[in-house]
Amino acid sequence: MHIYKLLTTFLKVNIQQDLAYRADAIVNMALSLMWLGWELTSLSIIFSNTETLGGWGPSELIALLGVWRLVNVVMATIVWPNTEKFNNGVRDGSLDYTFLQPANSQLLISITRIVVWRAWDLLLALTLIVAGITSSGGITTPLNVIAFLGLTISGVAIIYSLWIVLISFTFWFTKFDNNVTIMQALMDAGRYPAQVYPVWLRAIVTFIIPIAVATTVPLQALRGDLQWWQILGFLVIGVGAFIISARIWKAGVRRYSGASS
Amino acid sequence: MQPVQTRNGTSRIARNGPDPIIVDGLSKTYRVTDREGGFGAAVRSFFKRKYRDVKAVQNVSFRIGSGEIVGFLGPNGAGKTTTLKMLSGLLYPTGGSANVLSHTPWERRADYLRSITLVMGQRNRLSWDIPAADSFLLNQAIYRIGDADYKRTFDELNELLELAAIIRKPVRNLSLGERMKCELAAALLHRPQVLFLDEPTIGLDIGAQVRIRSFLKEYNRRSGATILLTSHYMADVTALCERIIIIHHGQLKYDGKLADLSRRIAPYKLIAVRLGDCIDCDLSRYGTVVEVAAEYGADGANGDGGKQLVQVKADEVAAVTARILADLPVSDLTIEDPPIEDVIERAFHE
C-alpha cells in the first residue's frame, strides 16, 4: 500500500515536471517515430535479400522489434534518467539523504525520475507487437499470450536487476560513472533474434548477460515454441535475478556506510 | 529541571525524560591509500597499495538532554561531520556505541529515521528541477505523513519561514537563503524529535543567517526538539547554544557551558577606555594594552586620546576600573568579554 502511494506520488510529480517542458517532449516523440521508421527500413532491406533470419520471418521480426522497444521503454523511462540522478548523487553527496529516508532505498533511486512522455513509445511498441503477430498468420492461444506477458515482465525484471547490480558496483569502485554504457551496447544486441548470432555469442547474450531472455524468449512463447518447463525456468530466472540484485544493492549500501566520509 | 553532571564534571540542565542522545566511546577510523607524489610513486602504488589509517573520531562520549540545543564546534577536519553522520545513521563506527532515541542509529530502522533529521548546509536535499512544494509532497509520501498532520506542520513552518511565496518556483531559481528555508522545511515536515544540523547557515548573508537562527530558536521552543548543531559562525553559537562540545583531531576537548569556557580559557575581560585631554597617558600600568585606536577630532587636532583596550584579569576588573576612573580623565569606559572566536580558537589548541 505504501509502495503504491510512493509510486503514484512520484509519478504525479514527474508528470508535472514533464508538462513544464512541452517542446522537449514533442521533439522526442517525433524522434522516436523517426527511429522506428529507420528500424523498419533496415528490416525491409534485410528481407529484400533473404526470406528468413535465423528461422524468423519479417512479421515475427516486427513483433520482436516491438518487444525490444517495450524493454527499451523501461530503460528510457526509468533506468537511464535515474542512473544520471544516481551518479550525480554519488558525486555531490545528495545520495546521503536517500539513505536517511524511511523507505526502501532501491525503490527510491529507481523512481526518482520517471520520463513520463515515454508512454508514447509504449504505444508504438504495443502496436508493433500486435501488428507483427496478426500479420504473421500464426495461431496463438490465450495460454501463449499469458506466457508472453509473464515472460515479458520477467525479462524486464532481469534487465532491471542487471542495472541494479551495475550501479551497485559504484559503491565498490568509486570511479564508475560509465556504469551503464555497457548495458546500452548490450541492449542493442537484443534487436535481432538470438538465433542470428553464432552459438557462442548466443550463449553469452542469453545466459551471461540475458538480453535475449528479455526480448526473444517472450516472443517464442507467444509463437508457442517453448515447452512449459522452459517458460517456468525463465520465470524463475527473472525472480532469482531480482532477489540477487536486491541483495547486492543492500551489500553495496552497507559498504557505502562503512567507507564514505 | 535539574542539573546533571556530565563525564567531565561540567553541569547542564536536563529537561523531562531520559537523554535522547547518548554517545559512548564513539570512534571512526578511515583507511585511505597513501602514496607520495610523482610518476614513480603512482606506478608503484598501482601494483602495491600502501594504506594509512585516518582516525577521524576517537573515543568521543557525551550525553544530550531532551530539548537542548548544543553547539558542536571544531576546526575543519575535526570530525564533526563524521560524528553527525554516525549519529544520523549514515556511517558505521569502528568503535564505541551511540543510542539516539533508544535506537542504534546505523541500524537505520524506519521508525528511527522518521524521528530524526539531518541537514547539511552544503548539500541539497531538494531536487533542483522541481518546485520545493513538489519535493514536500514526495516527503509526505516517503515519511507517511497524514494529510491533516502535513497541513498543520506546513502551516506552522510557513508562518515561521514565510514559504508561500517561494515554494512554487523551481529550486534552481531560488536564492541561497530561500533555498535554505525550503531545505529546512523539507527536513522538518515529519516533525523530527532530534535535529542534526551541519552548518545550516553556511554561505548565507547576515540577514538570512539571523532569520534561520531565530527560526531554529522558535522551533526548539515550540517543539521541544533536541538540536546538535555545527557552525563556523560564532553568532549562531552564541545566539542558540548554552552548551557547546568542542572536538579537535577527532578528540573531545570540552563539553560544558559556553560561558564557563570563556571563564576557563580566557579568564580576563577587556576594558575599553576613551580618554579626554590626555594623549600620552599610559594605560599599561593597569594591564596589557591590546589595542590602541587613535581617533582625531573634526578640526584635525587631537580632540581626544582615542579608544584603548586593556586586558585585565576577570577578578580584578572592578578594582582596576575604579583606579582608571580615579587617575585619568576618562570620557567613556566599557567592559567587554573577550571575543568568542578567540576563546574557541584557544580551546582548539589547548
Side-chain angles (χ1 to χ4, degrees), chain B residues 165-185:
Chain B
I166 52 177
I167 56 165
R168 298 275 157 213
K169 290 192 242 172
V171 171
R172 67 166 81 245
N173 295 341
L174 299 179
S175 72
L176 194 60
E178 290 171 333
R179 214 190 74 213
M180 199 59 223
K181 281 182 176 182
C182 293
E183 289 271 341
L184 273 173

Side-chain angles (χ1 to χ4, degrees), chain A residues 2 5-6 9-10 12-13 16-17 21 85 92-97 99-103 108 112-113 253-261, chain B residues 28 30 85 88-92 108 110 113-114 116 118-121 123-125 127 129-130 134 137-139 141-144 147 172 183:
Chain A
H2 184 227
K5 170 97 172 132
L6 272 180
T9 313
F10 272 90
K12 211 162 73 185
V13 166
Q16 286 169 8
Q17 183 176 350
Y21 300 96
K85 285 259 175 196
D92 66 20
S94 54
L95 196 64
D96 284 351
Y97 286 126
F99 295 136
L100 287 185
Q101 286 173 331
L108 287 180
T112 301
R113 180 75 182 101
V253 173
R254 266 199 302 279
R255 157 99 192 165
Y256 180 82
S257 300
S260 73
S261 58
Chain B
K28 175 75 185 177
Y30 295 115
K85 280 187 169 182
S88 57
L90 269 176
L91 287 181
Y92 290 94
R108 278 210 288 264
L113 297 177
R114 267 195 290 275
I116 63 143
L118 171 69
V119 176
M120 294 181 276
R123 293 191 180 168
N124 308 316
R125 172 193 307 265
S127 182
D129 302 316
I130 56 177
D134 288 348
L137 286 181
L138 293 179
N139 271 10
I142 290 169
Y143 284 92
R144 306 182 192 210
D147 286 339
R172 67 166 81 245
E183 289 271 341

